[in-house]
């Protein structure tokens, strides 16, 4: 079967029907994912270049058995590839590729020191890596990060805290300046500082597993993904009193479509607690 | 036969025998009830607590119920519990002298349970033994070492020894001692090490990795490279970091030296005369 690079399949997520003994390939940023269907198993192969600066995405389907065998041989010789087989009595025809938020919270550090003067309110646009979930029928087969961020620790001490992923932000304040990358989502974070002193933002803890994903079409840009927006308010006493996850799509994109539910449900007080650590870390407590 | 029958009839009529049978039954039932209750408690606690707390709850339930039934059985036999408890005090002193080690282990075990320096499932190091805690018992702590050996450590030893709990905190630091040749630029070494940590996804960004200069060694400039990792990834980091440091040094041409020795004869201070194998062959 001829391989057919299908740019029309942009965005990279969505269901793909595959005949028996055919494969498909998804390039999502630095990660390449292959799926091959036999009567009895789905074979999922993936690798990452580790190059965070690789932003392209494409989907190729269907690919013939010869292309798959070539890839499988390459995977056996190269430890950078991971191959998993998922056996079924009879394999479902459709493979659904879904974007999901990270499985742990993400700590975002501005590339340059950033502070918010008293009485100011700003919206920062944070770019966060996405995970690729492979679903066959109703079963989730794999979850692969589009880019594996480094681990980090977020907490007041080495004894208490939470293991998170680390990423950096350029701290963009205008939506038009934001590069829209298909393998990352954008999280709008509005911060209001009512305290009489500046709020230095050294690190921001984003509770990614609690955020739903929205897909939005830009004017000239391809479809891209957003998470629910976050709002952070610091009161006159210098204490962060209110942290809110906005229900519904971000304010800038009212007609965005909700395509993925959060991994975890918010328990009362949880979000406030996760942000409480910021106060200690920022020295605003 | 008739004699035996009449003997049994006599026994059955004897109140003391009846009381003894009742007491035995009570202990038997008590044992059963204690067992069932402790299993139920164990199941109830299993999902909500750690293995350590679950074992503790099971034991307390078992001995408490068995104790109540035993006390009831003793009173059935006509023992006055008040007097018995008084006698137990004297008995304890006597037993204490007779079995000092066991008693000391029991008391140490109680302190260990109270102090909780580790829990069942933790990996600890006691002296030269490192292993996973299987159970904290009345007399001893049982460990499984990583080469799958069973180690029994008396509680008394545990109380006296330095115990290192390797899994108490969620993150851990790995320190790699590395030396580079004297000709190398120390800043370049620092940069190379920092880059290794930055590019390793399992090394935590915070707490930040550290490069400490340890001093001028015999043959090398000594550094300590410290990186943090989560408990579950610690072994991966420990295994991969040395290889990546070596690769980074090789890529930059930074030399990891081996010790250099200069040998000088003590008597004359003159250098050794060296004869090459080639010369030896010529002379032969």
């Amino acid at each position: 079967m001829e391989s057919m690079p299908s740019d029309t399949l942009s965005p990279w997520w969505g269901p793909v029907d595959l005949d028996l003994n055919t494969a498909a390939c998804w390039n999502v940023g630095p990660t390449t994912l292959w799926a091959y269907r036999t009567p009895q198993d789905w074979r999922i192969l993936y690798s990452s270049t580790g190059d965070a600066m690789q932003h392209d995405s494409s989907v190729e389907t269907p690919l013939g058995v010869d292309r798959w065998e070539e890839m499988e041989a390459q995977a056996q010789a190269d430890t950078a590839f991971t191959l998993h087989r998922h056996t079924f009595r009879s394999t479902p025809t459709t493979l659904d590729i879904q974007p999901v938020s990270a499985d742990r919270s993400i700590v975002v550090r501005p590339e340059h020191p950033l502070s918010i003067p008293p009485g100011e309110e700003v919206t920062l646009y944070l770019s966060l890596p996405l995970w690729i979930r492979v679903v066959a029928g109703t079963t989730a087969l794999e979850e692969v990060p589009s880019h594996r961020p480094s681990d980090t620790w977020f907490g007041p001490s080495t004894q208490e805290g939470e293991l998170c992923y680390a990423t950096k932000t350029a701290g963009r304040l205008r939506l038009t300046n934001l590069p829209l990358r298909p393998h990352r989502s954008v999280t709008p974070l509005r911060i209001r500082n009512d305290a009489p002193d500046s709020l230095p933002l050294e690190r921001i803890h984003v509770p990614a597993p609690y955020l739903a994903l929205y897909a939005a079409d830009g004017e000239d840009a391809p479809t891209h993904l957003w998470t629910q927006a976050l709002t952070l308010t610091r009161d006159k006493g210098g204490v962060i009193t209110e942290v809110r996850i906005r229900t519904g799509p971000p304010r800038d994109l009212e007609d965005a479509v909700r395509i993925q539910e959060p991994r975890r449900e918010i328990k009362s007080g949880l979000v406030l607690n996760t942000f409480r650590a910021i106060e200690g870390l920022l020295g605003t407590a | 036969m008739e004699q035996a029958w009449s003997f049994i009839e006599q026994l059955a009529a004897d109140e003391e025998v009846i009381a003894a049978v009742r007491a035995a039954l009570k202990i038997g039932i008590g044992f059963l009830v204690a067992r069932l209750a402790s299993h139920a408690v164990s199941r109830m606690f299993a999902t909500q607590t750690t293995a350590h707390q679950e074992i503790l709850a099971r034991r307390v339930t078992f001995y408490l119920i068995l104790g109540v039934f035993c006390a009831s059985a003793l009173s059935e036999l006509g023992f006055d519990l008040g007097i018995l408890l008084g006698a137990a005090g004297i008995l304890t002193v006597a037993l204490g002298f007779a079995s000092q080690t066991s008693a000391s282990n029991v008391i140490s075990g109680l302190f260990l349970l109270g102090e909780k320096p580790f829990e069942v499932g933790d990996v600890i190091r006691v002296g030269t033994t490192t292993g996973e805690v299987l159970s904290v018992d009345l007399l001893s702590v049982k460990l499984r070492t990583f080469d799958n050996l069973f180690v029994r450590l008396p509680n008394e030893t545990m109380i006296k020894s330095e115990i290192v709990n390797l899994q108490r905190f969620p993150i851990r630091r790995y320190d790699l001692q590395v030396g580079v040749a004297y000709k190398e630029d120390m800043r370049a070494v620092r940069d190379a090490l920092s880059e290794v940590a930055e590019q390793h996804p399992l090394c935590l960004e915070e707490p930040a990795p550290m490069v400490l200069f340890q001093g001028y060694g015999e043959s090398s400039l000594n550094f300590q490279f410290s990186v943090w990792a989560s408990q579950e990834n610690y072994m991966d980091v420990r295994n991969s970091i040395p290889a990546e440091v070596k690769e980074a040094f090789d890529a930059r041409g930074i030399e990891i030296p081996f010790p250099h020795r200069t040998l000088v004869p003590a008597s004359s201070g003159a250098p050794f005369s060296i004869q090459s194998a080639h010369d030896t062959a010529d002379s032969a």
Side-chain angles (χ1 to χ4, degrees), chain A residues 52 102-110 127-129 131 147-154 162-169 184 202-206 208, chain B residues 197-198 200-209:
Chain A
D103 53 1
R104 294 203 292 251
S105 296
I106 300 180
V107 175
V108 185
R109 286 161 66 96
S127 171
L128 306 179
W131 264 235
H147 164 62
R148 169 67 161 87
S150 186
D151 285 348
T152 192
W153 185 248
F154 185 80
E162 182 191 352
L163 192 65
C164 301
Y165 294 116
T167 183
K168 287 212 166 110
T169 176
R184 295 175 80 93
E202 284 168 13
R203 45 180 91 69
I204 305 151
H205 176 276
V206 181
Chain B
E198 204 174 295
H200 198 304
L202 300 182
C203 284
L204 302 186
E205 280 204 11
E206 279 183 60

Side-chain angles (χ1 to χ4, degrees), chain A residues 106-187:
Chain A
I106 300 180
V107 175
V108 185
R109 286 161 66 96
E111 280 171 9
H112 307 289
L114 184 71
S115 40
I116 300 163
E120 289 294 330
E121 180 179 303
V122 293
T123 302
L124 284 176
Y125 293 95
L126 311 172
S127 171
L128 306 179
L130 285 168
W131 264 235
I132 308 161
R133 182 182 282 166
V134 182
V135 181
T138 53
T139 317
L141 303 182
E142 296 279 345
E143 258 188 34
V144 185
S146 62
H147 164 62
R148 169 67 161 87
S150 186
D151 285 348
T152 192
W153 185 248
F154 185 80
S157 71
T158 54
Q159 299 162 36
E160 270 179 69
E162 182 191 352
L163 192 65
C164 301
Y165 294 116
T167 183
K168 287 212 166 110
T169 176
R172 288 191 172 85
L173 304 170
R174 289 175 70 89
L175 192 54
T176 45
N177 294 344
L178 194 72
L180 298 169
R181 291 159 184 159
H183 68 291
R184 295 175 80 93
S185 61
V186 178
T187 303

Side-chain angles (χ1 to χ4, degrees), chain A residues 1-5 21-25 27 32 34 36 45 60-74:
Chain A
M1 205 177 284
E2 284 274 312
S3 79
M4 187 182 71
N21 303 318
T22 55
C25 172
N27 289 302
T32 307
W34 288 70
Y36 179 67
L45 176 70
E60 285 181 73
T61 179
L63 299 170
V65 66
D66 45 339
R67 284 287 302 278
W68 168 256
E69 280 170 356
E70 201 181 299
M71 274 314 295
E72 208 174 25
Q74 193 183 335

Side-chain angles (χ1 to χ4, degrees), chain B residues 92-129:
Chain B
T92 311
V93 174
L95 276 177
F97 276 113
S99 57
Q100 257 184 4
T101 315
S102 308
S104 154
N105 276 323
V106 171
I107 305 288
S108 305
L110 290 175
F111 280 118
L112 273 181
L113 285 175
E115 195 189 352
K116 249 177 42 175
F118 51 81
E119 294 199 353
V120 172
D122 282 356
V123 175
I124 61 167
R125 184 165 60 221
V126 186
T128 53
T129 311

Side-chain angles (χ1 to χ4, degrees), chain B residues 114-253:
Chain B
E115 195 189 352
K116 249 177 42 175
F118 51 81
E119 294 199 353
V120 172
D122 282 356
V123 175
I124 61 167
R125 184 165 60 221
V126 186
T128 53
T129 311
T130 306
E132 181 196 351
V133 178
L134 294 179
S135 65
V136 185
D137 292 331
L138 210 58
L139 296 176
S140 62
V141 171
K142 272 91 173 181
L143 297 186
R144 184 189 69 83
T145 62
F146 291 118
D147 48 351
N148 216 22
L149 301 179
F150 179 85
V151 181
R152 177 187 178 278
L153 292 162
N155 286 340
E156 196 187 349
T157 318
M158 298 292 283
I159 282 282
K160 286 178 187 162
S161 315
E162 179 185 292
I163 302 171
V164 181
N165 189 337
L166 305 181
Q167 288 190 326
R168 184 59 164 261
F169 302 128
I171 54 172
R172 204 175 150 188
R173 197 176 81 177
Y174 168 59
D175 294 338
L176 175 73
Q177 308 296 334
V178 61
V180 297
Y182 268 88
K183 66 180 169 64
E184 305 300 349
D185 177 0
M186 284 164 71
R187 281 190 196 86
V189 173
R190 229 169 245 280
D191 291 347
L193 292 173
S194 302
E195 199 172 301
V196 167
E198 204 174 295
Q199 287 181 354
H200 198 304
L202 300 182
C203 284
L204 302 186
E205 280 204 11
E206 279 183 60
M210 272 191 307
V211 180
L212 293 173
F213 177 62
Q214 295 283 62
Y216 298 101
E218 272 187 59
S219 332
S220 59
L221 299 168
N222 294 332
F223 288 90
Q224 178 177 306
F225 179 40
S226 301
V227 290
W228 289 82
S230 65
Q231 277 292 350
E232 60 264 39
N233 294 328
Y234 180 80
M235 288 310 279
D236 281 346
V237 168
R238 195 188 145 154
N239 282 332
S240 54
I241 285 287
E244 285 177 23
V245 166
K246 173 86 168 51
E247 274 169 24
F249 280 3
D250 288 350
R252 288 172 172 77

Side-chain angles (χ1 to χ4, degrees), chain A:
Chain A
M1 205 177 284
E2 284 274 312
S3 79
M4 187 182 71
S6 36
D7 291 331
T8 49
L9 271 175
S10 177
W12 53 267
W13 59 91
V16 168
D17 288 336
L18 278 183
D19 293 332
L20 285 176
N21 303 318
T22 55
C25 172
W26 291 262
N27 289 302
V28 186
T31 295
T32 307
L33 187 129
W34 288 70
Y36 179 67
R37 183 182 166 217
T38 73
Q40 305 277 265
D41 65 1
W42 271 106
R43 295 180 194 181
I44 312 289
L45 176 70
Y46 55 87
S47 76
S48 176
T49 59
D51 179 10
M53 301 312 285
Q54 201 168 319
H55 304 308
D56 299 336
S57 83
S58 63
V59 185
E60 285 181 73
T61 179
L63 299 170
V65 66
D66 45 339
R67 284 287 302 278
W68 168 256
E69 280 170 356
E70 201 181 299
M71 274 314 295
E72 208 174 25
Q74 193 183 335
Q76 272 167 3
D78 189 345
T79 52
F81 286 87
T82 308
L83 172 65
H84 283 172
R85 291 173 62 191
H86 302 271
T87 55
F88 289 82
R89 215 172 283 132
S90 163
T91 46
T93 322
T94 309
L95 204 66
D96 193 7
I97 304 292
Q98 301 173 356
V100 270
S101 304
D103 53 1
R104 294 203 292 251
S105 296
I106 300 180
V107 175
V108 185
R109 286 161 66 96
E111 280 171 9
H112 307 289
L114 184 71
S115 40
I116 300 163
E120 289 294 330
E121 180 179 303
V122 293
T123 302
L124 284 176
Y125 293 95
L126 311 172
S127 171
L128 306 179
L130 285 168
W131 264 235
I132 308 161
R133 182 182 282 166
V134 182
V135 181
T138 53
T139 317
L141 303 182
E142 296 279 345
E143 258 188 34
V144 185
S146 62
H147 164 62
R148 169 67 161 87
S150 186
D151 285 348
T152 192
W153 185 248
F154 185 80
S157 71
T158 54
Q159 299 162 36
E160 270 179 69
E162 182 191 352
L163 192 65
C164 301
Y165 294 116
T167 183
K168 287 212 166 110
T169 176
R172 288 191 172 85
L173 304 170
R174 289 175 70 89
L175 192 54
T176 45
N177 294 344
L178 194 72
L180 298 169
R181 291 159 184 159
H183 68 291
R184 295 175 80 93
S185 61
V186 178
T187 303
L189 169 70
R190 204 170 66 189
I191 306 170
R192 207 173 76 221
N193 183 18
D194 290 338
D197 56 335
S198 282
L199 171 66
L201 284 181
E202 284 168 13
R203 45 180 91 69
I204 305 151
H205 176 276
V206 181
Y210 297 94
L211 302 178
L213 283 180
Y214 286 85
D217 290 316
E219 278 174 23
D220 301 316
T223 311
H224 53 274
L225 294 168
W226 291 70
T227 69
Q228 284 167 295
L230 295 167
T231 314
L232 181 72
T233 311
R234 187 174 176 235
D235 73 4
K236 291 194 170 97
V239 179
I240 291 165
T241 50
E242 194 195 4
V243 177
R244 223 160 38 86
I245 294 179
R246 184 185 150 93
T247 48
R251 188 171 294 184
D252 310 295
L253 310 128
E254 290 294 351
D255 51 355
V257 185
R258 189 172 173 116
I259 59 159
Q260 189 65 265
E261 293 304 314
R263 285 173 185 269
R264 286 180 227 153
E265 287 300 316
I266 299 164
K267 290 174 196 152
S268 151
L270 180 130
V271 175
L272 188 66
N273 286 339
T274 56
F275 274 90
R276 200 163 277 156
I278 291 180
E279 298 168 24
L281 289 164
L282 295 178
T284 55

